[in-house]
Amino acid sequence: MSTNVILAGVGGQGAVLASKLLARAAMERGLSVKTAETIGMAQRGGSVTSHVRIGGPSHVPVSPLIGRGRADAIVAFEPAEAVRQLPFLRPGGMVVTSDAPVVPVSAATGGPAYDLPAIMSHLRARVGSDRLFVVDAAAAESELGTAKALNVVLLGAAARTGALGPVTVDDLVAAVRAIVKPALVDLDLRALDL
């Protein structure tokens, strides 16, 4: 038994930290984990994708990359990035996404418009309302006083839906305590509670 999770966002949203938290949480449970990141133009607001493959105690994933149609879940910090990763989602897989767009420079400078309602409609149609979980990013930011912990809010939401397989919120709490900078631990623990 294995769980394949893709975390997707744009540079600066914390996708790499989220993948480290998820991997650490799974390893602390005694599970085998393989991860891979594609960060490319992340410093310039480009796509950031992390593949996290979690195996059982006696099952080690062969490759760190998740094949098309094999992801059990997509955790997206930005809605368009959720759409970009849909070819990797298996039938019946789940998507947990933020509702906050990060409008690309091309859209802001006269390129194709960023149409959030169309993006969300596409996600609902492709994934199904029962397997699509949308996090209200503005409410989370208001509650926490910052948008910087949205990555951890999304991990907590994904754990609560069962999208992270055997990894629970308690496992993520332990991972936050182990690897997050001490000054940010309390913020990230509050983020998990949301």
Side-chain angles (χ1 to χ4, degrees):
M1 176 100 175
S2 64
T3 303
N4 297 314
V5 180
I6 292 179
L7 298 104
V10 297
Q13 288 191 301
V16 173
L17 174 60
S19 71
K20 288 178 182 179
L21 289 171
L22 178 54
R24 177 68 177 251
M27 287 187 299
E28 290 296 325
R29 288 185 68 90
L31 302 171
S32 59
V33 179
K34 291 203 178 201
T35 65
E37 283 96 21
T38 56
I39 55 176
M41 296 292 287
Q43 297 86 350
R44 298 189 179 142
S47 294
V48 177
T49 306
S50 293
H51 292 223
V52 180
R53 302 193 69 201
I54 303 167
S58 61
H59 171 75
V60 178
V62 175
S63 166
L65 295 176
I66 299 167
R68 289 182 172 266
R70 306 286 301 197
D72 298 297
I74 295 169
V75 179
F77 310 123
E78 200 284 329
E81 293 301 322
V83 170
R84 188 186 315 270
Q85 298 305 315
L86 283 178
F88 290 95
L89 191 65
R90 70 167 173 76
M94 289 191 250
V95 174
V96 178
T97 186
S98 161
D99 65 353
V102 177
V103 179
V105 173
S106 60
T109 58
Y114 188 108
D115 188 346
L116 181 60
I119 289 169
M120 298 309 289
S121 177
H122 180 76
L123 282 170
R124 279 189 294 279
R126 286 282 309 277
V127 177
S129 295
D130 61 326
R131 293 176 289 114
L132 174 65
F133 301 90
V134 181
V135 171
D136 183 335
E141 182 177 352
S142 175
E143 180 74 24
L144 296 171
T146 181
K148 292 287 185 185
L150 183 60
N151 58 343
V152 181
V153 171
L154 285 158
L155 277 180
R160 284 181 177 83
T161 67
L164 303 182
V167 175
T168 67
V169 173
D170 288 340
D171 298 328
L172 292 169
V173 166
V176 164
R177 291 186 189 282
I179 64 174
V180 170
K181 293 177 186 174
L184 299 175
V185 168
D186 287 342
L187 172 64
D188 282 345
L189 293 178
R190 287 177 37 227
L192 282 174
D193 282 341
L194 287 180

